[in-house]
Amino acid sequence: MKLSLSTSLPSFSFFLFLFLLVLSVSSEPLRRKDEERASTPPRGWNSYDSFGWAVSEEEFLQNAEILSQKLHAQGYEYVVVDYLWYRRKVPGAYVDSLGFDVIDEWGRMIPDPIRWPSSRGGKGFTEVANKVHSMGLKFGIHIMRGISTQAVNAKTPILDTTTGSAYQESGRVWHAQDIGMKEKACAWMRHGFMSVNTDLGAGKAFLRSLYQQYASWGVDFIKNDCVFGDDLNINEITYISEVLKELDRPILYSLSPGTSVTPDMAKPVSGLSNSYRITADDWDSWGDVASHFDVARDFSAAKMIGTSGLLGTSWPDLDMLPLGYLTDPGSNEGPHRRCRLNLKEQRTQMTLWSMAKSPLMFGGDLRNIDDTTFSLITNPTLLEINSYSSNNVEFPYIRGSSSPRGRKHGRYGMYPTRVEESEVEVFGLTSCKDPKASGWLVKGLDQDLERICWKENMEGRYGEPFCLYKRNSLVESDEEIMYGRQYQGALHLLASENAKYCLNASPRRKITSSEFTRGSFSRCTWNANQMWEFHGNGTLISSYSGLCAIMKKVKANAGAAGARSWIATGRSGEIYLAFFNLNPDNMVIAAEVSDLAKALPGQSVTSCVGKEIWSGTDLGRPTNDTIATMVGSHDSALYVLNCN
Ligand SMILES: *[C@@H]1O[C@H](CO)[C@@H](O)[C@H](O)[C@H]1NC(C)=O
Ligand SMILES: *[C@@H]1O[C@H](CO)[C@@H](O)[C@H](O)[C@H]1NC(C)=O
């Protein structure tokens, strides 16, 4: 039957009207909850680089106010309180001290009322979040893995948020000590926090009680630390991600730290989160900046930039930007010094972070931001690239030539640089599915003593072969017997035959990106961080994280050698091409126009116009051969090209 338009139209528009009416009534909460999370890399400010753990409410809100006035228009949206906001700032309190934290009757961390006066009377961060929201910004907090040792020692009951009273199961009330896994203490804050047993209903109830409280305070962003990298805690990440999915409040979920993270290690968590760190802490040293190039390349090559994440998108995170006015790692004090990177190095950092689409979390004290730093972090080209570019990858088709004084360089006739590179072996962890993990073998010395050695360096090319002495762990105290039962068959790995020092799966302190080691050792205990299982297929599995040990070769100067380049496509079809000079000398870096298409699927490139943004130099007429420029030591060049 043919439908008559004139008669159907009124009824159609009537239904449309009804539909829109229903939509407008119900869309507000719906839209907020279902809105795509982290559709672009999150951007904002974090208190750690400038205040350590000691930031106060006043200092925090002053920074938030400046962010809202000067940086919100450029997409800086989240203000995040970094770690230990619950620790009383009194003599004796430091990063791994025990007994200085403020907890509520359910064993949950609450803000230190001296540093956060608006939290008094059980209000938590509600007033701070309200103020942040009234500035048009979003509010974030840092939290550690699991549960605090203080709650476990205080034997606090666990809140069941479905009943509002103590969690009961099997006819009894459950307490913090039933769910805290003392043998799985956070390796770099072992007195402070430990894993929660997520196999138990009470363990789940505890984590739920935390996140429901954060949502009720008005938190929009959680940075969950000591759950990723060497400290991987897949059980907690998985359960917290489930809880966050069910909350009415959209909360971005960010994982930390990123020590020895590889794409294989990240794949199981990227879908559960909105960002995850892929390096250890980044500070303002050139070694730290340079050490991000290889790992960023590996994640772009594995197509991990902007994969599907927790109710939205997930981003590999290169860590905060320690630019401007800062403090020192682990400090109890606020900012007292300027960033130690020179302007070229800062530009290189911002350019790499933008080309790799890392979250941009500024770390300097905004109350003291200088004009140069401000214009760098608000550079419109970089921010456009960071939010909206695509096909971002390292671009290998370049040539670099060092530039001896007095020698003239034409556009041709360059010779490749020979950069002396020495390699060192470092100890690290990887997914146990990684074939490289099967690199260990057992070598018997005599009847009772065996060594476990990394096969590859048995020839001793890197000095002594890396071997560990295997010992079935000795049980000395009742406490050890209790934990020991969980680790039947597990091994301690000792640095030498008679040593009392055992190999740790995760370093015992927070480390920075440029620190590499052949493994960290400390006095042997029954902690999961020192327990290993050797499997017949040559893998050595950590009982702490479930990850497998490997030795890998890295450049002695943390990857800082040679010319590097990245490429990406812009929203309007432009091509972004960045050159980086990681050498200590100036260098001419060059790429052929005809090679650009090799990195850009489905695009053909014959000729380009455009300019280099730091120098403002125009390419002039259309170029179909070489794009080349002198790049200073540790500096970068960034071209915006229009090609056909
Ligand atoms: C080695 O064996 C362990 C334990 O069975 C297994 O989980 C792991 O995937 C294996 N790894 C490799 C690289 O074969
Ligand atoms: C590049 O441009 C020049 C001058 O327009 C032209 O003669 C030459 O054939 C072009 N080369 C290529 C590879 O397209």
Side-chain angles (χ1 to χ4, degrees):
M1 195 186 80
K2 203 170 173 226
L3 213 73
S4 153
L5 195 66
S6 59
T7 57
S8 68
L9 202 59
S11 60
F12 174 71
S13 38
F14 175 70
F15 283 117
L16 187 70
F17 167 76
L18 266 187
F19 175 70
L20 287 176
L21 190 72
V22 170
L23 204 69
S24 67
V25 169
S26 65
S27 74
E28 219 347 73
L30 249 181
R31 205 182 50 81
R32 272 189 69 71
K33 192 180 176 207
D34 294 346
E35 144 191 312
E36 153 94 6
R37 298 182 193 179
S39 55
T40 57
R43 191 175 292 166
W45 180 80
N46 175 298
S47 61
Y48 179 66
D49 291 345
S50 43
F51 293 93
W53 60 271
V55 70
S56 70
E57 180 167 333
E58 191 185 7
E59 292 160 333
F60 181 78
L61 288 173
Q62 284 167 350
N63 271 279
E65 187 63 47
I66 299 167
L67 193 91
S68 80
Q69 284 167 14
K70 295 180 73 177
L71 288 151
H72 190 200
Q74 288 87 338
Y76 287 86
E77 186 181 17
Y78 290 89
V79 280
V80 183
V81 186
D82 212 274
Y83 71 164
L84 305 180
W85 36 265
Y86 32 79
R87 186 149 299 170
R88 289 183 293 124
K89 199 186 162 200
V90 294
Y94 63 101
V95 171
D96 197 20
S97 57
L98 173 61
F100 296 95
D101 294 343
V102 188
I103 59 174
D104 72 4
E105 60 183 310
W106 306 108
R108 301 179 295 184
M109 319 312 299
I110 50 174
D112 165 24
I114 308 291
R115 281 193 291 141
W116 301 92
S118 79
S119 69
R120 289 188 184 140
K123 292 201 294 283
F125 273 127
T126 310
E127 290 201 3
V128 174
N130 282 343
K131 284 186 183 153
V132 167
H133 294 152
S134 72
M135 297 174 198
L137 301 175
K138 292 188 167 150
F139 177 61
I141 58 172
H142 171 291
I143 56 146
M144 292 293 294
R145 73 157 56 194
I147 189 167
S148 72
T149 310
Q150 220 174 297
V152 170
N153 291 349
K155 302 183 162 64
T156 50
I158 289 157
L159 173 65
D160 182 343
T161 53
T162 61
T163 63
S165 54
Y167 183 86
Q168 296 196 35
E169 196 187 313
S170 314
R172 70 171 179 101
V173 171
W174 289 66
H175 294 88
Q177 75 274 24
D178 300 321
I179 61 163
M181 304 169 86
K182 278 190 176 164
E183 74 285 5
K184 286 202 176 179
C186 170
W188 57 265
M189 200 193 281
R190 65 204 157 97
H191 295 115
F193 288 84
M194 65 186 77
S195 293
V196 155
N197 188 341
T198 53
D199 292 339
L200 300 173
K204 291 191 173 119
F206 178 75
L207 292 174
R208 210 160 50 229
S209 77
L210 295 183
Y211 285 83
Q212 292 197 348
Q213 184 181 51
Y214 303 147
S216 77
W217 286 344
V219 168
D220 307 295
F221 182 102
I222 298 273
K223 175 177 171 184
N224 194 183
D225 209 341
C226 207
V227 296
F228 192 48
D230 286 347
D231 303 289
L232 181 68
N233 187 338
I234 193 75
N235 296 340
E236 282 187 24
I237 293 172
T238 306
Y239 186 67
I240 290 167
S241 166
E242 273 172 40
V243 173
L244 291 177
K245 253 189 207 169
E246 281 157 20
L247 294 174
D248 282 334
R249 197 173 181 79
I251 298 181
L252 295 201
Y253 190 36
S254 161
L255 308 176
S256 227
T259 336
S260 51
V261 170
T262 58
D264 273 345
M265 201 197 275
K267 272 170 193 156
V269 305
S270 56
L272 306 173
S273 62
N274 302 106
S275 70
Y276 50 89
R277 284 267 300 278
I278 60 172
T279 64
D281 283 9
D282 174 74
W283 279 92
D284 53 331
S285 75
W286 171 246
D288 275 14
V289 176
S291 70
H292 287 67
F293 279 84
D294 286 355
V295 69
R297 172 201 60 207
D298 294 347
F299 274 78
S300 73
K303 305 230 176 301
M304 298 288 285
I305 296 177
T307 51
S308 124
L310 175 68
L311 301 179
T313 310
S314 194
W315 304 96
D317 177 1
L318 298 180
D319 200 15
M320 280 96 72
L321 297 160
L323 309 176
Y325 204 50
L326 305 171
T327 188
D328 295 310
S331 173
N332 279 14
E333 290 305 325
H336 60 268
R337 65 178 183 89
R338 297 250 153 240
C339 172
R340 295 192 183 107
L341 298 172
N342 66 36
L343 179 60
K344 294 169 176 180
E345 293 166 341
Q346 297 186 26
R347 210 145 67 180
T348 289
Q349 176 161 33
M350 266 304 285
T351 307
L352 176 66
W353 265 235
S354 301
M355 290 297 284
K357 303 197 76 167
S358 169
L360 296 179
M361 294 288 180
F362 183 68
D365 182 2
L366 289 167
R367 300 170 308 174
N368 267 309
I369 191 166
D370 56 279
D371 293 345
T372 314
T373 308
F374 181 80
S375 55
L376 181 61
I377 67 167
T378 55
N379 181 286
T381 309
L382 291 182
L383 297 184
E384 167 73 22
I385 293 171
N386 179 248
S387 291
Y388 302 113
S389 59
S390 51
N391 301 318
N392 310 56
V393 282
E394 189 173 278
F395 182 68
Y397 310 100
I398 51 159
R399 287 169 295 149
S401 70
S402 57
S403 175
R405 230 177 273 273
R407 189 185 170 115
K408 277 234 163 192
H409 277 273
R411 292 167 78 194
Y412 303 96
M414 279 183 287
Y415 51 91
T417 31
R418 265 187 55 103
V419 180
E420 293 302 324
E421 292 176 353
S422 61
E423 286 183 324
V424 288
E425 283 236 307
V426 299
F427 175 83
L429 296 168
T430 186
S431 156
C432 292
K433 291 190 188 122
D434 182 348
K436 289 193 217 90
S438 308
W440 300 93
L441 59 85
V442 174
K443 294 195 57 104
L445 285 181
D446 56 43
Q447 273 175 327
D448 345 279
L449 194 60
E450 283 183 335
R451 293 193 305 169
I452 294 186
C453 299
W454 183 246
K455 279 184 221 164
E456 256 182 37
N457 64 353
M458 287 305 284
E459 325 87 64
R461 191 177 146 205
Y462 300 95
E464 287 293 294
F466 187 75
C467 290
L468 298 154
Y469 289 78
K470 188 176 135 186
R471 184 180 78 176
N472 291 312
S473 299
L474 304 172
V475 176
E476 281 163 1
S477 69
D478 289 351
E479 198 178 45
E480 286 170 350
I481 291 167
M482 190 176 87
Y483 299 139
R485 267 196 222 110
Q486 302 172 46
Y487 296 114
Q488 291 283 330
L491 306 165
H492 268 145
L493 295 172
L494 290 82
S496 67
E497 192 177 335
N498 297 312
K500 292 195 169 64
Y501 290 87
C502 285
L503 178 70
N504 296 313
S506 167
R508 289 243 172 154
R509 60 187 182 84
K510 228 170 183 237
I511 63 167
T512 61
S513 295
S514 53
E515 289 173 296
F516 287 112
T517 110
R518 276 192 128 205
S520 112
F521 292 84
S522 59
R523 203 180 57 78
C524 302
T525 64
W526 268 99
N527 198 290
N529 192 32
Q530 294 185 333
M531 306 308 306
W532 300 89
E533 282 166 53
F534 181 74
H535 284 266
N537 59 11
T539 56
L540 201 50
I541 302 182
S542 161
S543 305
Y544 176 63
S545 58
L547 295 168
C548 278
I550 46 162
M551 296 297 293
K552 40 183 185 184
K553 296 182 190 89
V554 298
K555 308 270 164 21
N557 54 357
R564 296 292 181 96
S565 175
W566 275 66
I567 197 166
T569 325
R571 277 199 277 191
S572 321
E574 62 273 58
I575 293 173
Y576 301 111
L577 179 68
F579 291 155
F580 301 96
N581 176 3
L582 308 190
N583 272 341
D585 302 309
N586 296 346
M587 204 168 19
V588 173
I589 303 180
E592 295 301 319
V593 165
S594 57
D595 284 337
L596 299 181
K598 291 184 183 169
L600 302 169
Q603 204 165 332
S604 72
V605 180
T606 51
S607 164
C608 302
V609 291
K611 69 176 189 180
E612 197 286 307
I613 68 153
W614 301 126
S615 61
T617 316
D618 221 288
L619 284 182
R621 41 206 170 80
T623 303
N624 69 359
D625 50 20
T626 310
I627 295 172
T629 188
M630 167 80 80
V631 185
S633 166
H634 300 177
D635 204 356
S636 52
L638 177 58
Y639 289 92
V640 182
L641 303 170
N642 286 293
C643 306
N644 54 42

